Amino acid sequence: MDAFTDPSSPSTERMRQHTAQLLRFLIWLALLSVIGYTVLSPIDPSLMPQRLIIVAPLIAALLAAFWLLRQQRVWQASLLVISSLWLTLTGSAAISGGILAPAFAALPIVVVMTGMLFGQRGTWIVAILSVATGVIFTLFADRLPQPPIPHSRLSWSVTYTLYLLLSAYIINQLISHFRQSLHDTDKELNERRTVEKQLRDSEEKLARLFDSAPFAMLIVRINDELILNANAACREFFELSSEQIIKQPIRRLSRSQLSERWPAIAEALEKQGTISGVEFSFQRNDRAPGFAQLAAELIELPEGLCAVVAFQDVTPLRYANERLAELAARQEQLATLAREALANTDLNTLFATAAEQTAQTLRLSGIELVELDLDRQPCVRAKWGNAPEELLPSEVFRDLPNDHPGWNRLPPSLAERIGGMAMYGAGMPIRGNERLFGVLLAYAQHPLDTEAIFFLRGVANVLAVAIERFNAEQERRRIETQMLQTQKLESLGLLAGGIAHDFNNLLTGIMGHTSLALLDLPSNHELQPHLAAINQASQRAAELCSQLLAYAGRGQRSLESVDLSALVHEMGNILRLPANRSGQVTLTYDLASDLPAIVVEASQIRQIVLNLITNAIEAIGERSGTVTISTGVTTLTATDLRRLNLTPSIAPGKYVTLTVSDTGIGMDESTQRRIFDPFFSTKPKGHGLGLAAVQGIVRRHHGAIRVESTPGLGSTFTVYLQAANTATPALTAAATAPIILTGTALIVDDDAAVRGTITRILERAGMVTLEAADGRTALSLLSESAMNIDIVLVDLAIPGMNGLELLEAIRRQLPCLPVLLMSGNAEQITNNPLPINQYTDFLPKPYRSRDLLEKLSLLLQRTTIR
């Protein structure tokens, strides 16, 4: 209700602030005028209380209005100021002479102030009230009280001067207000013109934007389906001019489903106000089908309720989505194949499944999965569909780098295999971490795109992982088998080590006493056959214990450089067949000459030859047959090792071979898996340690053994022993003359029977003997005996100070004294090689008396030649 304010004007707030400022000045001016009039206007002092009764409420009202103004309550403050001034002035006029009173002359000023504060309506109300009051004062002038003090010229002069000043100020404020209003109005008009210009520019830009939008747009009136506007993209989309599409019903749009689906679209718009994602088909310029997607929204235009429709060609997007779905299906296919690769341990089944699924996924004509061995020789492992029948050229793969990325188009040498099949092809390497496993070859009627090549590469990677996993599983099983075998060896070794020493000590005593008895008794004595049988049984028991230790890998080694052919030839006399088998089994030798040397323990190699030939003869049985013993040399590559599947595994290199073949009954696969197990035998009276010992000896010499057998056709055992670089010494014939020894020997053994046996053997050969049951006694004899001791025989398992500790003590006192170490199981004392040198040697128990004498003779000869 403020003066000169337009409710719709944006300058309303500014006018309100101007009104508040004007009211503030009016209040201060009114206060100053009232206080100045009260103080300066002449009056009888006795009438001062009456004046204060009138002035005090006015001052209070003005102060209250000022407080309301501080509270931003402009309308209430204005009403309080105008009403208090009007009432005070009319009341003062009523008691001061009515219309002739100076107070009544101030009412026009109140009217002007009302107009400034309340506008026209307030001005007319106050003016009419003031006129009505003046009329009343005129009609009832004789009834009004006379002024207590006649108004003098001075009072009128002061009053009118005050009124004129007040009027001048109010008019000045009124003019300032009008000027500000005009200025604000002009500013508002300028702003409106600017806004209108911007609006027109925006409308033009909007029109241009609408027409140049990259997607097609239509404005369709809902009630009559009339197209009010269409942009350039829409006209181009439908291949129509502006006249052919604008102001035309939407059903005139041909070559699309939009006109058919418009009723449903309009109905959905009326219900929802906006829709999106609606797809419709149309026909392209080349008559190919296309797809578009629209969005629409209702708007109110001067022409009526309309729909703004925007749509664009989504044919490439739809095809792209279909392509993405196809690629996703391929990835899922790869994932499925990977899961099958992880779950399936049968590579043949996996390869067949991979070939079929890959060919069907990529719509291939054919596919081949080619495996490459370590020499890059190709072999087709799986094939599907229309694939060439010609053999794969190996030269393509022989020089293929391990990191070869594959072929997007087959090389000429592989493309020639296609011949007249008119197919395109691609190849992806199946590559592991260490080598190339194979190649995936794909054949199609059309060139394969990038995604197909990527899919083939993924399949090849999955197959590579599957092959590596299969190889790792095979390696794990091989290691588990070796660990199981090692555990068997350890268990058997512990068992053998626990009994070998005592058992060999017993055998030493038996064999020693038997040998002495055979020498003491006449050759025609009736006990000779019995003693010979005892000696033979003892040697057989010693052989069994030796085989047990050989299988367990715990026999003491005495390595030498040997020519295998010479060793087998030297054993010819031993390998004579029994008389009852001579006409049924034929031994055939095929021994290679100039073989490289092998560093082995000759006695254990002889045991291998004997065991293999014995098994071959027994495999022939009662039938006639042939056993062939052959030697040779071969160089094994990694491919050979993989193909031969040797047991145990060995490193590539040069090997000397011993092959024993027979024409016996052969073995099935289950029997072949168990022939090296200890105590397993196919013979009714077999003890099952022969082949177990052979395998233990071969393993101990870091060699390998291969078995080939077919039921009914015989068996072939091939032993591979690593070739040495040293020359082979010639084998000398064993001496048969009696051995004569001189000097004094100290025998250290905790077994009295063994000490007695050795004493009798040595004394019979010509030596003087001393005996000690432990190490301390032996050291005392060495230092205190008056006799000069020439050699010491020490058992390794003596109590207290063992044999090796005694040897160290002897070496501190007598470093050049010959010492012969003896034990039934040396590795029971130490796992390290024994300290064999010029002054120290070793003889395993049990032994024959001649073996003992020969070892002592050689040791004494070495120590005397210095």
Side-chain angles (χ1 to χ4, degrees):
M1 192 175 172
D2 294 343
F4 310 109
T5 58
D6 186 357
S8 62
S9 173
S11 61
T12 302
E13 183 61 28
R14 293 197 299 271
M15 293 296 100
R16 178 182 177 85
Q17 295 175 358
H18 185 71
T19 302
Q21 183 180 2
L22 179 62
L23 181 60
R24 188 179 296 109
F25 282 111
L26 290 177
I27 293 173
W28 283 110
L29 186 59
L31 283 172
L32 291 175
S33 301
V34 171
I35 294 173
Y37 180 80
T38 304
V39 175
L40 299 177
S41 178
I43 189 175
D44 188 352
S46 61
L47 299 176
M48 183 58 69
Q50 297 178 2
R51 175 173 290 184
L52 291 177
I53 292 173
I54 297 174
V55 172
L58 177 59
I59 293 175
L62 290 175
L63 293 175
F66 187 74
W67 179 83
L68 291 173
L69 188 60
R70 293 286 298 272
Q71 300 298 320
Q72 302 296 326
R73 298 167 66 178
V74 179
W75 190 85
Q76 291 85 345
S78 301
L79 181 61
L80 182 58
V81 169
I82 297 299
S83 59
S84 61
L85 285 175
W86 191 85
L87 292 174
T88 301
L89 290 175
T90 54
S92 299
I95 64 173
S96 300
I99 197 171
L100 298 177
F104 188 81
L107 288 179
I109 297 176
V110 177
V111 173
V112 174
M113 292 174 63
T114 304
M116 294 176 65
L117 296 176
F118 292 100
Q120 297 178 357
R121 183 178 302 176
T123 301
W124 284 107
I125 292 174
V126 175
I128 291 172
L129 288 176
S130 300
V131 171
T133 303
V135 171
I136 293 173
F137 284 165
T138 302
L139 293 176
F140 300 99
D142 53 347
R143 297 184 182 182
L144 294 176
Q146 294 298 317
I149 300 174
H151 301 291
S152 62
R153 294 178 180 177
L154 178 60
S155 64
W156 278 106
S157 176
V158 173
T159 300
Y160 280 112
T161 298
L162 181 62
Y163 290 166
L164 289 173
L165 292 175
L166 182 60
S167 299
Y169 176 77
I170 292 174
I171 291 172
N172 181 63
Q173 291 297 320
L174 182 62
I175 293 173
S176 299
H177 181 80
F178 273 112
R179 286 179 178 176
Q180 183 65 37
S181 298
L182 290 175
H183 176 72
D184 293 343
T185 301
D186 185 60
K187 183 178 180 181
E188 183 178 349
L189 289 175
N190 291 333
E191 291 177 353
R192 286 186 178 181
R193 293 190 189 98
T194 302
V195 171
E196 289 175 355
K197 184 177 182 303
Q198 291 176 351
L199 183 59
R200 287 194 300 271
D201 294 342
S202 298
E203 290 176 351
E204 293 176 0
K205 289 180 181 179
L206 182 61
R208 288 195 301 271
L209 179 63
F210 176 82
D211 194 62
S212 61
F215 43 85
M217 296 184 69
L218 286 172
I219 298 178
V220 184
R221 193 158 54 199
I222 294 296
N223 59 355
D224 56 1
E225 300 181 356
L226 191 69
I227 299 174
L228 301 181
N229 201 354
N231 66 350
C234 180
R235 298 192 297 270
E236 182 180 356
F237 184 88
F238 290 108
E239 296 184 338
L240 298 174
S241 64
S242 298
E243 293 77 10
Q244 291 174 321
I245 191 171
I246 298 176
K247 304 300 182 182
Q248 299 295 328
I250 197 169
R251 63 178 176 273
R252 295 285 298 273
L253 298 178
S254 59
R255 294 170 50 192
S256 75
Q257 288 183 331
L258 181 59
S259 58
E260 300 175 7
R261 302 191 61 180
W262 180 254
I265 293 173
E267 183 179 356
L269 276 174
E270 291 178 350
K271 291 180 179 179
Q272 304 174 15
T274 181
I275 58 173
S276 62
V278 179
E279 191 171 289
F280 63 91
S281 62
F282 67 94
Q283 194 176 49
R284 293 177 174 273
N285 299 340
D286 56 359
R287 304 300 178 183
F291 302 92
Q293 196 175 75
L294 68 80
E297 186 171 354
L298 281 181
I299 61 171
E300 188 69 40
L301 296 177
E303 291 84 355
L305 187 62
C306 299
V308 177
V309 183
F311 54 91
Q312 61 179 347
D313 186 358
V314 294
T315 305
L317 180 61
R318 179 164 178 167
Y319 288 156
N321 289 336
E322 293 176 357
R323 186 64 171 167
L324 287 175
E326 183 180 355
L327 292 177
R330 291 182 182 180
Q331 294 300 318
E332 179 61 27
Q333 190 69 37
L334 274 180
T336 302
L337 186 62
R339 288 192 292 269
E340 292 180 0
L342 292 175
N344 194 353
T345 57
D346 185 2
L347 287 184
N348 292 327
T349 302
L350 178 63
F351 287 163
T353 302
E356 181 178 359
Q357 292 181 355
T358 302
Q360 292 177 353
T361 300
L362 299 180
R363 300 180 181 88
L364 300 175
S365 300
I367 196 168
E368 286 180 303
L369 289 175
V370 181
E371 182 183 20
L372 300 178
D373 61 15
L374 294 176
D375 293 330
R376 300 290 180 91
Q377 293 295 324
C379 175
V380 178
R381 284 291 299 270
K383 182 184 293 187
W384 187 91
N386 190 16
E389 296 295 336
E390 288 77 7
L391 296 177
L392 287 160
S394 59
E395 62 273 6
V396 179
F397 309 101
R398 187 175 296 114
D399 300 328
L400 195 65
N402 190 44
D403 57 350
H404 191 272
W407 300 291
N408 293 347
R409 297 178 61 185
L410 291 181
S413 55
L414 291 178
E416 290 174 358
R417 296 177 63 239
I418 300 176
M421 300 171 67
M423 290 190 300
Y424 297 87
M428 290 295 114
I430 304 173
R431 182 171 49 247
N433 291 329
E434 298 180 355
R435 71 178 186 90
L436 191 65
F437 295 132
V439 177
L440 171 64
L441 299 178
Y443 306 102
Q445 295 297 331
H446 303 283
L448 297 174
D449 56 15
T450 304
E451 288 81 3
I453 298 297
F454 180 80
F455 182 77
L456 288 175
R457 184 171 288 110
V459 173
N461 292 337
V462 169
L463 293 179
V465 172
I467 295 173
E468 285 199 325
R469 176 178 172 272
F470 177 79
N471 291 342
E473 183 68 19
Q474 293 292 97
E475 181 67 14
R476 183 187 66 80
R477 292 178 181 176
R478 185 186 66 81
I479 293 174
E480 287 180 352
T481 303
Q482 289 183 350
M483 290 180 63
L484 180 61
Q485 191 71 12
T486 302
Q487 290 174 356
K488 290 181 180 179
L489 290 174
E490 291 295 329
S491 300
L492 187 56
L494 291 175
L495 175 64
I499 65 174
H501 182 265
D502 294 335
F503 186 55
N504 283 328
N505 277 342
L506 293 175
L507 289 176
T508 300
I510 294 172
M511 293 172 64
H513 286 290
T514 304
S515 299
L516 292 174
L518 288 172
L519 293 175
D520 290 340
L521 292 176
S523 58
N524 58 352
H525 196 277
E526 61 181 2
L527 293 179
Q528 281 280 0
H530 302 292
L531 293 174
I534 293 173
N535 189 39
Q536 185 177 4
S538 300
Q539 291 181 3
R540 183 59 178 162
E543 290 176 0
L544 287 176
C545 187
S546 176
Q547 288 179 354
L548 191 64
L549 289 174
Y551 173 76
R554 290 179 176 266
Q556 181 61 32
R557 306 179 68 186
S558 178
L559 300 179
E560 55 185 305
S561 183
V562 173
D563 183 332
L564 183 60
S565 294
L567 184 145
V568 175
H569 185 269
E570 183 260 343
M571 293 179 65
N573 295 329
I574 304 176
L575 299 179
R576 292 196 183 102
L577 295 174
N580 62 338
R581 304 298 303 276
S582 60
Q584 298 175 355
V585 178
T586 302
L587 292 181
T588 303
Y589 295 92
D590 182 13
L591 304 179
S593 59
D594 300 327
L595 284 181
I598 53 175
V599 179
V600 295
E601 188 173 1
S603 62
Q604 292 193 351
I605 302 303
R606 292 188 182 97
Q607 185 175 346
I608 290 177
V609 177
L610 285 173
N611 286 351
L612 292 181
I613 293 177
T614 301
N615 285 345
I617 293 173
E618 292 180 351
I620 295 175
E622 300 298 329
R623 303 177 304 169
S624 298
T626 302
V627 176
T628 303
I629 305 103
S630 60
T631 59
V633 61
T634 184
T635 300
L636 298 179
T637 64
T639 303
D640 297 330
L641 293 174
R642 183 184 178 192
R643 182 181 68 255
L644 295 176
N645 193 21
L646 300 178
T647 303
S649 60
I650 54 178
K654 191 174 184 180
Y655 288 85
V656 175
T657 60
L658 169 67
T659 304
V660 178
S661 302
D662 64 71
T663 58
I665 59 175
M667 296 177 289
D668 56 19
E669 187 176 352
S670 61
T671 302
Q672 291 184 51
R673 287 196 296 266
R674 300 188 60 191
I675 56 175
F676 294 113
D677 290 347
F679 309 115
F680 172 78
S681 177
T682 58
K683 294 172 287 187
K685 297 182 180 181
H687 51 69
L689 284 176
L691 288 178
V694 168
Q695 188 188 51
I697 295 171
V698 169
R699 182 187 296 107
R700 189 171 179 83
H701 286 82
H702 305 292
I705 186 168
R706 183 188 180 205
V707 181
E708 299 174 276
S709 183
T710 303
L713 298 180
S715 303
T716 299
F717 288 78
T718 303
V719 176
Y720 295 83
L721 298 172
Q722 193 167 19
N725 297 323
T726 58
T728 305
L731 294 177
T732 59
T736 58
I739 299 175
I740 305 299
L741 300 176
T742 60
T744 302
L746 174 60
I747 303 169
V748 185
D749 199 306
D750 62 323
D751 193 319
V754 173
R755 292 198 308 272
T757 302
I758 297 174
T759 297
R760 291 194 60 190
I761 294 173
L762 297 184
E763 289 178 350
R764 188 180 184 85
M767 297 192 75
V768 177
T769 60
L770 297 175
E771 296 184 14
D774 55 59
R776 297 187 182 278
T777 304
L779 290 175
S780 298
L781 289 174
L782 282 172
S783 60
E784 299 174 3
S785 176
M787 301 178 65
N788 186 22
I789 297 175
D790 298 296
I791 193 169
V792 181
L793 288 77
V794 178
D795 183 70
L796 291 177
I798 55 177
M801 179 188 298
N802 64 37
L804 292 179
E805 294 172 345
L806 176 59
L807 176 64
E808 291 180 3
I810 293 173
R811 287 287 172 254
R812 286 193 294 268
Q813 295 182 16
L814 302 168
C816 297
L817 179 65
V819 177
L820 177 64
L821 302 174
M822 300 178 295
S823 177
N825 181 16
E827 293 192 10
Q828 188 178 26
I829 307 301
T830 176
N831 291 324
N832 299 321
L834 294 175
I836 306 299
N837 51 43
Q838 182 181 358
Y839 303 102
T840 308
D841 209 339
F842 175 78
L843 180 64
K845 294 180 180 180
Y847 47 80
R848 297 173 301 177
S849 59
R850 186 172 186 86
D851 296 334
L852 174 62
L853 296 176
E854 287 179 350
K855 186 67 72 172
L856 290 176
S857 177
L858 291 174
L859 182 57
L860 289 171
Q861 290 177 14
R862 290 205 307 264
T863 55
T864 56
I865 302 175
R866 296 196 288 267

